[in-house]
Amino acid sequence: MKSTTFVMNFVMLAIFVTMVGIAATYPPQARFMPFVVGIPGIALCFLQIFLDLCSVRRRKAEPADDRSDVEKARGEMSRYAGRTIESEATAVTESAPDLSSVPPNMVGREILIWAYFLGFVGGILVFGFWMVIPVFLFLFLRNEARLPWLRALLFAAVGTTLLYLVVAKLLRVDLFGGFLTTYLLDLLAG
Amino acid sequence: MLDVMFSALFQMLTSPHIMGLMLIGVMIGIWVGVTPGIGGRLSIALAIPFVFGMDMIAGAVFLLTMHAVNGTSGQISSIMFGVPGDGDDAATTIDGYPMAKKGEAGRALGASMTASGVGGIIGAGVFAIMIPILEPVILSFSPAEFFLLALLGITFIAFLAGGSNIFRGIIVGFYGVILSTIGMDPQTGIARFSGNFLFLWDGLSLVTAVLALFAVPEMIALGVRGGSISGVSMEAAHYSYRQIFQGVMEVPRHWWLALRTSIIGAVIGMIPGLGGSAAAWMCYGHAVQTSKTPERFGKGAVEGVIAPETASNAKEGGSLLPTLLFGIPGSSGMAILLGAFLILGIQPGPMLITDHLDLVWTLIWALVVGNVIAVGFLLFAARWVATLTFVRGTLIVPFVFVVVVLGSYINEGQWENLVILVVLSAIGYGLLRAGWPRAPFVIGLVLGKIAEESLNKALALWGMDFFLRPLSLVLIALIVLTIAYAIYKGRKPSKVAYGEGMSL
């Protein structure tokens, strides 16, 4: 059993317990629905924790299903066809991205991508959308996509311009200016 | 009914606005289908903020067309490079890739795209035929049944997404429902779980929640893994239009197989919980079983391309039926589409039949016309579209992040939604890392308010006796049976031997 699975059980349990606890302070009509789903939710979390603990031994005995999409499909289709299906199509599928999980040896990279995302959102809150978008695009394209300086700069500029045209000109949406930028602009305006 | 049916088609075809949006939807759908790392679900999640406030019909047509043509372009990389875009396309790879290796990529593409288009059209036709059959059943539903339908929807989608891990799916679904209770309670006027945060009084932003649960986790995973297939040769992309035409003609040559597999696919799509890749697999199996020369399969048989492609596209029309008429999504993609429809103001259920039949027909026609446009375009431009397969994941990630954050903000113009986005993204990523299904969350969140409203009405009308109404008992039995089947499936040892072809 993956440790993240176990952690998620407790995260969900904590969410349900907290929300049911808060709902208990509401009048009966207002707390009815949170109770209707929250209490069974708590029970299901406990049940899932129990099932996960029970299945640890069984899972250890089973081989991991590390087949590619094509191999899995071949197995399924063989089942439906009632005969073995052989195909050459398995060879190149190893490079296809599997987004269902991230291997443990990539945790450092995982933290890095999260840092980009958090930095991007944090930057928007402080400096505003239009100041942070080009910087974020450039940094990511340069450092993670390994584009040459000039191309990264060009992609970031073109991307930002396109977004500006769509969001600010076509949809006429005023985006958040950022706390610091707005404060400084107000200060300058007197 | 016939006048509504054809006036819907006429209005759609004569509206430059809707046709323009449909064209954009087709182009985005094709791009999403062929680009590795961006699935159909993600594309709908990303598009939701931009249809917010749009006319109901135009927005729905745009999203549905975009979703419906994903599979049509996804097969390009499956056939040319042996790299399936998703589970559905994997079935096409089994015979499509060997055909490409034999120098018949054009024939395989012609056959698969035509089959895909035919499947999409027949799937929409099956949906259309089912409307008058199901109308009396749908109209007999009361608030009691709608509450239970919401629960059934969560159970089905939990089963679909989680399989034997159905409890995890239900937990995630309930998590969505409990989050839907955030905000002002319509009965007492109390702001639940909102504290002094005024922006939460109207409830949690559905757009932000969907983006956080689907888009951000998948982009982080793509950023970590990369997802380029640049090591694959582009040699297969050299084919003639003559080959394409030969492939197109394979579908009328195997019309009986195409018709059968389209109907099977549409029917499978109608059954929530079966969906996914099962339609493609079952129809491939059916093609093998009914072939006089089954030994050709796996080595480049054109029927092995036609059968899964007709089925996987016909499934979309089929799965639209429970999504629109019962509020139970037939697939995880439809779950997000249902959320988008609700944002646009489309309420699933009997009201659609009684008050908005024109909308239902417009959506059916959108499936047909969208597929025709996509097939026509791809038959001409597949070789150039195929180059999109080589786009590296790290090039896509920053742009998608920007669109996600913009979408979360644009929706309500509240910076607080960015904080909610980060918090829910962490939970969404946790679910992805742990292998928990995320689709039930969307159903829980979108159906939560309807479920609460229906429950309150049902209790006011019948008290606790509403559980004993005949239709309610049928729905309760379905919920129990689904859970029981999932538990049985989880306990039964797998028949498939890993790492080897099956022989049963």
Side-chain angles (χ1 to χ4, degrees):
Chain A
M1 180 177 54
K2 286 194 288 186
S3 60
T4 40
T5 304
F6 207 64
V7 171
M8 276 321 293
N9 279 324
F10 284 100
V11 170
M12 285 293 158
L13 182 62
I15 291 170
F16 282 124
V17 168
T18 309
M19 291 188 84
V20 167
I22 295 171
T25 62
Y26 299 148
Q29 278 185 313
R31 71 182 176 218
F32 185 61
M33 192 63 180
F35 275 12
V36 165
V37 286
I39 293 168
I42 292 169
L44 283 169
C45 284
F46 278 120
L47 177 65
Q48 190 59 52
I49 291 168
F50 173 74
L51 289 173
D52 283 348
L53 288 172
C54 288
S55 67
V56 169
R57 194 177 298 168
R58 198 180 63 191
R59 282 175 190 228
K60 273 182 185 169
E62 284 179 3
D65 188 0
D66 53 358
R67 298 172 300 163
S68 70
D69 276 351
V70 173
E71 286 168 322
K72 284 176 191 167
R74 193 178 57 176
E76 285 296 323
M77 284 184 294
S78 297
R79 189 154 71 89
Y80 288 116
R83 59 181 289 277
T84 307
I85 302 291
E86 294 297 342
S87 173
E88 302 157 334
T90 51
V92 293
T93 53
E94 286 164 14
S95 52
D98 172 15
L99 301 178
S100 60
S101 63
V102 177
N105 59 352
M106 287 180 136
V107 173
R109 188 153 174 79
E110 202 176 10
I111 293 168
L112 180 72
I113 305 292
W114 262 107
Y116 269 106
F117 176 61
L118 294 177
F120 180 46
V121 174
I124 288 169
L125 293 176
V126 178
F127 300 107
F129 275 93
W130 295 123
M131 286 183 76
V132 174
I133 287 174
V135 177
F136 169 73
L137 287 177
F138 172 74
L139 287 176
F140 200 101
L141 292 170
R142 173 75 190 121
N143 296 327
E144 303 312 314
R146 305 275 174 213
L147 287 186
W149 280 91
L150 202 62
R151 203 180 292 175
L153 208 60
L154 185 75
F155 276 29
V158 170
T160 311
T161 311
L162 278 174
L163 283 169
Y164 181 77
L165 290 173
V166 172
V167 176
K169 295 293 171 189
L170 193 72
L171 298 175
R172 294 177 191 279
V173 177
D174 278 331
L175 294 182
F176 184 60
F179 291 115
L180 186 64
T181 310
T182 313
Y183 173 75
L184 290 175
L185 286 174
D186 286 348
L187 212 64
L188 283 172
Chain B
M1 185 180 272
L2 280 177
D3 56 328
V4 183
M5 181 178 157
F6 288 106
S7 71
L9 175 65
F10 181 75
Q11 280 177 7
M12 189 179 78
L13 292 177
T14 53
S15 165
H17 177 56
I18 292 180
M19 287 307 289
L21 278 172
M22 191 189 275
L23 270 178
I24 297 171
V26 167
M27 291 307 148
I28 298 175
I30 286 172
W31 175 69
V32 164
V34 81
T35 308
I38 308 183
R41 291 181 310 183
L42 181 57
S43 65
I44 303 170
L46 288 173
I48 291 174
F50 299 96
V51 297
F52 192 76
M54 203 183 263
D55 166 59
M56 184 196 286
I57 293 179
V61 165
F62 171 70
L63 291 174
L64 181 65
T65 324
M66 193 175 74
H67 178 69
V69 303
N70 275 170
T72 313
S73 59
Q75 59 196 268
I76 296 175
S77 60
S78 310
I79 290 171
M80 284 186 168
F81 316 119
V83 180
D86 58 27
D88 290 15
D89 301 324
T92 311
T93 312
I94 300 295
D95 275 283
Y97 184 61
M99 281 180 81
K101 284 189 82 176
K102 285 194 288 187
E104 294 182 343
R107 184 166 156 253
L109 283 171
S112 72
M113 282 166 197
T114 312
S116 196
V118 167
I121 293 165
I122 294 176
V126 172
F127 177 15
I129 291 166
M130 291 303 288
I131 291 176
I133 299 169
L134 286 175
E135 193 176 345
V137 180
I138 298 160
L139 293 178
S140 65
F141 278 24
S142 70
E145 282 78 41
F146 275 102
F147 168 69
L148 290 166
L149 268 179
L151 285 187
L152 184 63
I154 292 170
T155 315
F156 269 146
I157 204 76
F159 176 58
L160 171 76
S164 55
N165 296 320
I166 191 166
F167 294 125
R168 286 187 188 133
I170 296 175
I171 291 170
V172 176
F174 280 5
Y175 169 58
V177 177
I178 207 164
L179 288 193
S180 78
T181 63
I182 292 176
M184 197 76 79
D185 173 34
Q187 290 213 308
T188 59
I190 284 178
R192 294 182 295 198
F193 309 111
S194 310
N196 295 322
F197 301 110
L198 283 176
F199 77 101
L200 283 177
W201 283 26
D202 285 336
L204 201 65
S205 161
L206 183 59
V207 173
T208 302
V210 171
L211 289 171
L213 261 284
F214 284 91
V216 177
E218 302 229 355
M219 280 306 105
I220 288 172
L222 185 62
V224 172
R225 283 188 169 270
S228 166
I229 60 160
S230 53
V232 180
S233 163
M234 263 294 278
E235 247 176 66
H238 302 296
Y239 56 81
S240 66
Y241 283 108
R242 186 189 170 88
Q243 268 193 0
I244 288 261
F245 182 72
Q246 284 173 348
V248 171
M249 294 314 291
E250 291 290 354
V251 179
R253 198 168 294 145
H254 297 94
W255 68 273
W256 181 228
L257 175 71
L259 182 69
R260 285 194 324 259
T261 49
S262 295
I263 293 171
I264 294 171
V267 172
I268 290 170
M270 281 178 204
I271 306 167
L274 252 184
S277 311
W281 295 336
M282 282 184 190
C283 288
Y284 185 95
H286 175 73
V288 177
Q289 281 173 336
T290 54
S291 173
K292 286 174 185 164
T293 50
E295 66 281 356
R296 290 184 301 114
F297 283 80
K299 300 180 183 80
V302 75
E303 299 98 308
V305 172
I306 293 171
E309 278 308 320
T310 44
S312 63
N313 231 21
K315 183 194 77 201
E316 296 304 329
S319 62
L320 196 59
L321 189 135
T323 308
L324 280 180
L325 303 188
F326 296 100
I328 304 174
S331 64
S332 52
M334 281 291 162
I336 299 176
L337 198 63
L338 177 65
F341 283 173
L342 285 165
I343 287 173
L344 286 166
I346 299 170
Q347 199 77 30
M351 294 283 277
L352 272 181
I353 297 280
T354 53
D355 299 350
H356 297 292
L357 193 58
D358 56 333
L359 173 69
V360 175
W361 277 110
T362 306
L363 293 178
I364 292 171
W365 286 119
L367 275 178
V368 175
V369 178
N371 271 300
V372 170
I373 296 172
V375 170
F377 174 76
L378 285 173
L379 285 175
F380 172 72
R383 69 174 73 185
W384 298 294
V385 174
T387 55
L388 287 171
T389 312
F390 291 82
V391 175
R392 278 181 289 140
T394 44
L395 284 173
I396 300 167
V397 171
F399 292 99
V400 176
F401 271 150
V402 171
V403 175
V404 165
V405 177
L406 272 173
S408 174
Y409 179 80
I410 287 173
N411 175 34
E412 290 176 354
Q414 307 262 22
W415 65 264
E416 290 92 339
N417 274 336
L418 301 185
V419 180
I420 299 284
L421 179 78
V422 170
V423 174
L424 291 181
S425 295
I427 294 173
Y429 192 69
L431 293 173
L432 177 77
R433 277 285 250 132
W436 283 41
R438 288 166 295 153
F441 170 81
V442 186
I443 293 303
L445 193 63
V446 299
L447 294 183
K449 278 201 191 309
I450 303 170
E452 184 174 14
E453 201 180 304
S454 306
L455 179 63
N456 287 331
K457 277 185 193 166
L459 285 171
L461 285 170
W462 301 288
M464 293 306 277
D465 287 349
F466 86 80
F467 284 116
L468 301 175
R469 287 167 53 82
L471 257 176
S472 299
L473 287 173
V474 171
L475 292 172
I476 291 168
L478 275 173
I479 294 169
V480 173
L481 280 174
T482 308
I483 296 173
Y485 179 66
I487 295 170
Y488 166 74
K489 208 179 151 193
R491 291 179 66 88
K492 202 174 76 168
S494 173
K495 282 181 183 177
V496 179
Y498 295 133
E500 57 186 62
M502 275 299 300
S503 47
L504 295 176

